[in-house]
């Protein structure tokens, strides 16, 4: 009797082990299926991106977006407010569905520079309204929603030069730039800084405020937005982190003029990862009022961004704690800042994908 009971106990233990192994096997199978699904998804995304960025199919898509935006927003997606500093005028131009181009004018010489002129008709209208001569186009990167107007504006403005990073394959580039090169137009002094991550050859342009005794201005393209950063299409999290750290080194009073109107969406996401951030909450209230009235949220400042932009706060303990435990490179070690940035970008992609 006793022997039989022991055998039954042993059999129950064996069955329990088998169920556990079967359960572990099923979990492993589910994990493998999940990984395979994610790989296929990423492969599809990469293929779509390559079609957009590297073929004329991307240009055709841009043209469709341009026509749709002109029909939907004949006067632009947002009401903008130009800034004037001692003879220098910065004009944001709302284009496409949520992009910004910029016209920067030396009001004494009446010479102008355009940044990322994706809708040539809208930019040309501002040029004619201001009565200025377009001398140069500064292109942050190759994507059509930033470079699509280069050819038409060159055609309409003889002698207009197109500057950018030759590594990026920018359409109708005439004057290649390297990291820290300077571009001068009248009293306007721009420094080009290489900021890869979003694309391989992404560049930002910093207008020096010293010649006109005003704040410096950063035209950041798609590397940095109000409370956000660009998707990492052609780089690694470490590459993007280096670019963001470069921007962090600019003066706190530097004005940030980004390539898109993403403020409300970005601040909403920032609230998920740092819900107790008072600076973010205050900024969100202002942004929501602006957007309720269809007003632009540009510019912010680098100093402001450091207080609520999670992508500039990977060094902050509060953000690290909010993200929870993440594996470090060696398993037990804490996660690197690049790993934190990667996790932030992953969560942002899942949140809404801007």
């Amino acid at each position: 009797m006793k022997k039989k009971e022991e055998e039954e106990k042993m059999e129950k233990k064996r069955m329990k082990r088998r169920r556990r192994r079967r359960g572990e096997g099923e979990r492993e199978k589910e994990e493998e299926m999940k990984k395979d699904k994610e790989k296929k998804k990423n492969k599809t995304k990469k293929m779509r991106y390559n079609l957009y960025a590297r073929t004329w199919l991307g240009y055709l898509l841009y043209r469709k977006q341009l026509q749709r935006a002109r029909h939907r927003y004949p006067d632009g997606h947002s009401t903008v407010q130009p800034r004037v500093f001692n003879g220098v005028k910065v004009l944001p131009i709302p284009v496409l569905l949520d992009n910004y181009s910029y016209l920067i004018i030396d009001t004494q010489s009446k010479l102008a520079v355009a940044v990322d002129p994706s809708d040539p008709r809208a930019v040309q209208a501002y040029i004619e309204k201001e009565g200025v001569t377009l001398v140069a186009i500064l292109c942050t990167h190759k994507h059509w929603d930033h470079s699509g107007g280069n050819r038409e504006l060159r055609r309409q403005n003889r002698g207009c030069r197109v500057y950018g990073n030759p590594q990026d394959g920018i359409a109708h580039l005439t004057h290649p730039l390297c990291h820290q090169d300077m571009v001068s137009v009248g009293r306007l002094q721009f420094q080009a800084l290489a900021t890869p991550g979003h694309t391989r050859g992404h560049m930002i342009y910093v207008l020096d405020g010293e010649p006109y005794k005003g704040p410096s201005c950063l035209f950041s393209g798609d590397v940095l937005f109000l409370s956000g950063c660009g998707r990492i299409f052609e780089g690694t999290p470490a590459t993007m982190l280096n670019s963001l750290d470069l921007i962090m080194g600019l003066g706190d009073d530097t004005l940030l003029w980004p390539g898109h109107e993403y403020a409300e969406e970005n601040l909403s996401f920032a609230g998920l990862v740092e819900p107790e951030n008072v600076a973010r909450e205050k900024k969100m209230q202002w942004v929501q009022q602006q957007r309720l009235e269809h007003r632009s949220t540009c510019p912010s400042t680098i100093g402001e961004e450091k207080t609520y932009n999670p992508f500039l706060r990977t060094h902050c303990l509060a953000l690290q704690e909010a993200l929870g435990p993440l594996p470090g490179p060696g398993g037990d070690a804490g996660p690197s800042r690049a790993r934190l940035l990667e996790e932030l970008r992953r969560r942002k992609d899942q949140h809404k994908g801007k």
Side-chain angles (χ1 to χ4, degrees):
M1 188 74 176
K2 189 175 180 182
K3 188 177 179 183
K4 189 176 181 181
E5 286 177 357
E6 286 177 358
E7 286 176 353
E8 286 176 353
K9 282 182 183 177
M10 291 293 291
E11 182 61 26
K12 284 180 181 177
K13 285 181 180 178
R14 282 194 290 269
M15 288 178 68
K16 192 174 181 181
R17 281 197 297 269
R18 282 196 292 268
R19 282 196 298 269
R20 187 165 60 243
R21 282 196 295 267
R22 190 161 54 243
E24 288 172 355
E26 287 173 357
R27 281 195 296 274
E28 286 175 5
K29 192 175 179 180
E30 285 176 5
E31 282 296 317
E32 285 298 319
M33 288 175 66
K34 191 176 177 183
K35 285 179 182 177
D36 287 343
K37 190 176 179 181
E38 191 64 28
K39 281 181 183 177
K40 287 178 182 176
K41 189 177 176 183
N42 289 337
K43 191 175 180 180
T44 302
K45 281 182 179 178
K46 190 174 181 179
M47 183 179 71
R48 286 177 178 169
Y49 171 74
N50 285 335
L51 285 172
Y52 172 76
R54 295 185 169 90
T55 74
W56 281 96
L57 288 174
Y59 179 74
L60 294 176
L61 176 62
Y62 149 74
R63 293 297 303 178
K64 283 186 72 174
Q65 291 173 334
L66 184 60
Q67 296 304 321
R68 188 164 66 246
R70 284 172 175 173
H71 177 74
R72 184 174 175 183
Y73 300 119
D75 298 318
H77 58 74
S78 301
T79 302
V80 296
Q81 185 67 41
R83 292 288 185 96
V84 181
F85 315 99
N86 301 319
V88 171
K89 189 173 188 178
V90 179
L91 269 164
I93 305 174
V95 292
L96 298 178
L97 296 177
D98 53 32
N99 282 69
Y100 286 111
S101 299
Y102 296 95
L103 192 66
I104 305 99
I105 302 168
D106 177 353
T107 57
Q108 288 183 1
S109 65
K110 288 289 188 176
L111 300 178
V113 172
V115 176
D116 288 352
S118 53
D119 184 344
R121 182 196 296 176
V123 175
Q124 186 63 32
Y126 273 83
I127 290 168
E128 292 173 7
K129 182 181 176 182
E130 296 293 324
V132 296
T133 301
L134 183 66
V135 174
I137 292 170
L138 303 180
C139 209
T140 60
H141 62 294
K142 66 189 171 192
H143 291 163
W144 292 110
D145 63 324
H146 293 258
S147 65
N150 291 353
R151 180 177 64 174
E152 183 60 22
L153 282 173
R154 281 200 72 220
R155 189 185 68 79
Q156 294 188 53
N157 299 271
R158 285 180 176 273
C160 178
R161 307 182 294 270
V162 179
Y163 292 88
N165 192 332
Q167 293 183 32
D168 223 40
I170 293 168
H172 305 283
L173 182 73
T174 63
H175 287 64
L177 291 172
C178 295
H179 180 59
Q180 296 184 329
D181 278 355
M182 300 297 297
V183 178
S184 300
V185 174
R187 289 190 305 155
L188 307 177
Q189 303 283 330
F190 294 90
Q191 185 175 42
L193 299 174
T195 49
H198 182 66
T199 65
R200 183 163 162 252
H202 194 288
M203 272 189 156
I204 58 175
Y205 299 96
V206 181
L207 174 64
D208 185 6
E210 183 59 31
Y212 58 91
K213 305 302 178 187
S216 293
C217 292
L218 166 62
F219 299 93
S220 61
D222 279 1
V223 72
L224 185 70
F225 308 120
L226 193 154
S227 194
C229 84
R231 287 185 176 194
I232 305 170
F233 286 123
E234 298 181 13
T236 65
T239 305
M240 180 63 92
L241 181 64
N242 287 337
S243 295
L244 295 175
D245 281 349
L246 177 68
I247 292 172
M248 287 266 282
L250 301 176
D252 282 356
D253 62 346
T254 302
L255 299 180
L256 171 65
W257 300 95
H260 290 269
E261 181 55 71
Y262 290 163
E264 190 169 8
E265 169 62 26
N266 286 344
L267 285 164
S268 172
F269 170 72
L272 297 179
V273 293
E274 279 194 289
E276 305 300 320
N277 189 315
V278 178
R280 183 214 68 88
E281 180 59 33
K282 185 178 178 182
K283 188 69 175 183
M284 182 60 145
Q285 291 174 4
W286 178 81
V287 164
Q288 285 176 329
Q289 186 59 42
Q290 289 290 103
R291 297 312 298 155
L292 192 65
E293 299 169 3
H294 301 288
R295 293 182 180 276
S296 169
T297 59
C298 305
S300 62
T301 68
I302 297 301
E304 276 187 90
E305 293 299 315
K306 289 177 181 178
T307 66
Y308 54 65
N309 188 331
F311 297 95
L312 296 184
R313 293 171 56 76
T314 52
H315 61 288
C316 296
L317 184 60
L319 181 65
Q320 294 170 12
E321 290 175 347
L323 287 177
L326 296 172
D332 295 332
S336 66
R337 289 179 58 222
R339 177 69 185 91
L340 289 166
L341 182 67
E342 181 181 24
E343 178 62 15
L344 272 174
R345 191 58 253 186
R346 185 189 69 80
R347 295 189 189 188
K348 180 65 175 67
D349 291 345
Q350 291 180 341
H351 182 62
K352 198 165 179 181
K354 285 185 178 179

